[in-house]
């Protein structure tokens, strides 16, 4: 199994990797189909009009997650990694006014978001809670092409056929074929047990094995690309620490990261800070990212947008607060975190709509704990233990965002995920790495827990915190 660090960490926009980035990617794939001739149905002329139907969680929380905007922009040929977030609102308004999209390589296509973008609040499509169907018709209204996509978390998108193939070819329901061919990698571990065994046999650390796997694909560009990912994360923290005001969406949630950060800076050197003040630094770094995400700004999936603050907070904490931190340590954190994130996605899920927030913030915390443990000199066994501790203590966490917005409880939840990650790494480093519950078993428990969890608590905003909002 090989899932690249650059698949786990993708530069995009907020507020959601599955509800914003995924639908944009799906739209781009559909446009690619239309640019060819192999998908046109017999008897249909060239397409002139588009329509899209959102199902399941994409319908229930789509407006809060800006899914409608993502589809509109995606059908206009824009992508999450290059879109200027500051231009998104203006472009959307122009399309709503003209009722036309104009992607490169295609003639202008009729698309009226008011009538051609449908939120279907009925049962979700079979296969995954995040489903959307794209249709193109000719001038006579005859269907030219139709495709169903599923946004499966972290910005990953598969067609209905691809999802069915993955399920049919997997060795069991929990083992999904994903990423690139493992045959190209020198250390193709698909489980934590295999990862530890390969490390013991080769004498290499998890970071070294992951680096070798990535180098086999990306060659000499690896370090530059890792630097780009960390720079994007760090820039997001810095932006978030400078912004004030109210987050969009109607909940009137105030940005808090700047005010908290200003107070922390004022306390430096005053001998007034409590010993636990480091938790406040961790929290404010994570909150800065997730406030930016909630505002629809540029973020990096880590492994999702909803959990995008945990890992950057850990890396900033390592670089700014830990003794002996190095650039190599930053790269090791990213590599090891991606290795753990790949195992979780491959063997379970990182989708809040599929397994709840345990698969998002829980996964992010496990990834961050493992990465920090590695950067601080932990053995492979200690790294695996750190990931297990962090994930175990997020099991059962629901995804129930108020009004479908990635704000309450998501922003603070990232802060606590970062704190748990540091605690898990520290506990693992204090021991020898031998522990009762293997990470593989914990990942399996997360999957089973997610399957048993009511749909009310899996990103539909129909239960939990989402329906217990104070009346003002």
């Amino acid at each position: 199994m090989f899932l690249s660090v650059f698949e786990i960490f993708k530069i995009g926009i907020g507020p959601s990797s599955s509800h914003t980035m995924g639908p944009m990617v799906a739209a781009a794939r559909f446009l690619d189909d239309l640019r060819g001739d192999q998908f046109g149905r017999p008897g249909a002329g060239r397409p002139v009009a588009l329509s899209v139907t959102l199902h399941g969680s994409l319908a229930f929380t789509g407006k809060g997650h800006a899914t409608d905007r993502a589809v509109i922009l995606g059908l206009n040929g824009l992508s999450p990694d290059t879109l200027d977030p500051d231009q998104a609102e203006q472009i959307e308004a122009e399309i709503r006014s003209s009722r036309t999209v104009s992607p490169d390589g295609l003639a202008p296509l009729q698309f009226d978001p008011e009538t051609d973008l449908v939120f279907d609040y009925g049962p979700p499509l079979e296969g995954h809670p995040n489903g959307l169907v794209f249709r193109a018709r000719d001038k006579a209204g005859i269907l030219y092409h139709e495709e169903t996509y599923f946004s499966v978390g972290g910005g990953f998108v598969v067609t209905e056929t691809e999802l069915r193939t993955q399920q049919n070819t997997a060795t069991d329901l929990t083992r999904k074929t994903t990423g690139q061919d493992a045959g190209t990698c020198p250390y193709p571990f698909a489980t934590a047990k295999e990862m530890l065994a390969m490390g013991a046999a080769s004498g290499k650390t998890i970071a070294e094995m992951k680096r070798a796997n990535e180098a086999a694909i990306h060659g000499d560009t690896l370090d530059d690309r890792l630097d780009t990912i960390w720079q994007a994360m760090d820039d997001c923290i810095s932006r978030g620490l400078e912004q004030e005001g109210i987050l969009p969406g109607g909940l009137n949630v105030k940005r808090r990261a700047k005010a908290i950060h200003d107070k922390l800076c004022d306390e430096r050197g005053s001998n007034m800070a409590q010993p636990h003040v480091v938790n406040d630094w961790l929290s404010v770094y994570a909150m800065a990212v997730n406030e930016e995400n909630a505002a629809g700004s540029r973020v990096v999936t880590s492994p999702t947008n909803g959990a995008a603050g945990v890992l950057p907070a850990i890396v900033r904490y390592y670089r700014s607060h830990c003794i002996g931190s190095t650039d190599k340590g930053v790269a090791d954190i990213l590599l090891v975190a991606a290795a753990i994130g790949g195992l979780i996605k491959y063997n379970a899920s990182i989708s809040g709509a599929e397994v709840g927030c345990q698969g998002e913030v829980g996964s992010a915390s496990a990834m961050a704990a493992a990465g920090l443990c590695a950067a601080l000199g932990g053995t492979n066994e200690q790294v695996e233990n750190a990931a297990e501790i962090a994930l175990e203590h997020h099991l059962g966490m629901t995804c129930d965002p108020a009004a479908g917005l990635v704000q309450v409880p998501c922003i603070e939840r990232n802060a606590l995920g970062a704190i748990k990650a540091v605690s898990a790494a520290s506990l693992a480093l204090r021991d020898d790495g031998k522990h009762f519950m293997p990470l593989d078993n914990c990942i399996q428990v997360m999957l089973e827990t997610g399957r048993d969890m009511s749909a009310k608590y899996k990103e539909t905003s129909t239960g939990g915190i989402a329906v217990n909002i104070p009346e003002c």
Side-chain angles (χ1 to χ4, degrees):
M1 185 276 294
F2 178 69
L3 194 63
S4 174
V5 62
F6 305 113
E7 293 178 279
I8 294 294
F9 303 126
K10 296 188 286 289
I11 298 174
I13 60 169
S16 172
S17 50
S18 59
H19 287 58
T20 313
M21 290 175 61
M24 286 187 74
V25 171
R29 291 190 62 178
F30 189 71
L31 293 177
D32 284 341
D33 286 356
L34 299 186
R35 292 186 181 102
D37 295 323
Q38 68 271 33
F39 293 99
R41 297 193 177 188
R46 291 300 301 171
V48 300
L50 304 176
S51 63
V52 183
T53 306
L54 306 176
H55 297 267
S57 176
L58 293 181
F60 281 104
T61 64
K63 289 192 180 295
H65 286 90
T67 305
D68 46 354
R69 175 179 294 180
V71 171
I72 293 167
L73 298 178
L75 288 177
N76 205 49
L78 300 171
S79 61
D81 57 331
T82 59
L83 172 67
D84 181 353
D86 294 331
Q87 298 297 316
E89 186 173 347
Q90 178 183 343
I91 297 171
E92 179 190 4
E94 292 171 353
I95 294 171
R96 287 185 180 276
S97 176
S98 67
R99 301 173 187 174
T100 303
V101 291
S102 303
D104 290 342
L106 291 167
L109 297 160
Q110 299 169 22
F111 180 69
D112 183 354
E114 293 300 318
T115 56
D116 296 326
L117 181 55
V118 178
F119 289 76
D120 187 325
Y121 299 106
L125 299 178
E126 185 177 348
H128 192 278
N130 291 337
L132 62 169
V133 182
F134 289 77
R135 297 178 180 90
R137 300 181 185 276
D138 68 9
K139 62 182 180 180
I142 298 172
L143 186 65
Y144 173 85
H145 180 46
E146 176 181 287
E147 186 61 85
T148 298
Y149 298 92
F150 294 100
S151 182
V152 295
F156 292 90
V157 171
V158 294
T159 66
E160 185 175 30
T161 301
E162 289 166 348
L163 182 65
R164 189 181 305 115
T165 300
Q166 289 176 6
Q167 293 172 339
N168 291 340
T169 58
T171 55
D172 60 60
L173 289 178
T174 71
R175 299 291 294 275
K176 307 175 183 67
T177 56
T178 186
Q180 300 184 35
D181 182 6
T184 60
C185 302
Y187 304 100
F189 50 83
T191 65
K193 182 178 181 180
E194 292 175 356
M195 179 179 72
L196 293 176
M198 290 181 189
S202 65
K204 293 184 178 295
T205 65
I206 294 170
E208 290 169 341
M209 289 190 293
K210 182 62 174 170
R211 175 174 285 278
N213 287 347
E214 295 289 340
I217 304 297
H218 302 294
D220 295 337
T221 67
L222 176 59
D223 284 312
D224 286 343
R225 294 186 67 183
L226 288 173
D227 288 344
T228 298
I229 291 297
W230 165 234
Q231 190 63 57
M233 291 178 173
D234 199 36
D235 288 347
C236 186
I237 294 175
S238 296
R239 286 196 312 272
L241 294 177
E242 295 172 355
Q243 305 301 315
E244 296 179 290
I246 303 298
L247 292 171
L251 289 180
N252 294 317
V253 173
K254 182 176 70 173
R255 285 182 182 255
R256 291 180 289 162
K258 183 182 186 301
I260 295 171
H261 184 250
D262 289 347
K263 291 178 182 178
L264 288 170
C265 290
D266 290 342
E267 289 176 4
R268 275 181 164 168
S270 67
N271 294 322
M272 295 295 291
Q274 296 287 353
H276 56 260
V277 71
V278 68
N279 287 341
D280 298 337
W281 284 100
L282 280 164
S283 296
V284 80
Y285 296 150
M287 291 171 66
V289 172
N290 283 85
E291 287 178 355
E292 282 293 284
N293 179 62
S297 299
R298 188 164 304 285
V299 297
V300 180
T301 60
S302 313
T304 66
N305 282 30
V310 178
L311 188 75
I314 293 302
V315 184
R316 174 72 80 94
Y317 164 77
Y318 167 76
R319 210 65 182 101
S320 300
H321 300 265
C322 291
I323 297 171
S325 68
T326 64
D327 289 341
K328 178 183 179 299
V330 171
D332 285 350
I333 291 175
L334 295 177
L335 290 167
V336 171
I340 299 301
L343 294 179
I344 295 172
K345 175 168 173 53
Y346 183 67
N347 294 293
S349 175
I350 57 171
S351 168
E354 193 171 9
V355 296
C357 198
Q358 58 176 349
E360 295 201 38
V361 170
S363 296
S365 187
M367 292 161 57
L372 180 61
C373 184
L376 295 178
T379 65
N380 288 352
E381 289 74 18
Q382 289 171 323
V383 168
E384 185 263 359
N385 188 17
E388 184 276 327
I389 293 171
L391 185 60
E392 182 178 47
H393 297 290
H394 283 87
L395 291 177
M397 184 177 286
T398 58
C399 183
D400 47 357
L405 298 167
V406 192
Q407 297 178 20
V408 179
C410 317
I411 295 171
E412 289 179 352
R413 190 167 282 178
N414 275 258
L416 273 294
I419 292 171
K420 284 186 180 181
V422 173
S423 297
S426 184
L427 282 173
L429 286 166
R430 295 291 183 183
D431 210 337
D432 60 5
K434 297 177 182 177
H435 57 105
F436 179 78
M437 176 65 70
L439 176 59
D440 289 328
N441 295 55
C442 195
I443 292 172
Q444 179 65 25
V445 170
M446 185 187 77
L447 178 65
E448 294 172 356
T449 303
R451 286 174 172 170
D452 292 339
M453 191 181 292
S454 169
K456 293 192 301 182
Y457 305 111
K458 291 192 287 188
E459 212 166 6
T460 58
S461 288
T462 56
I465 290 174
V467 297
N468 283 278
I469 302 174
E471 297 181 9
C472 301

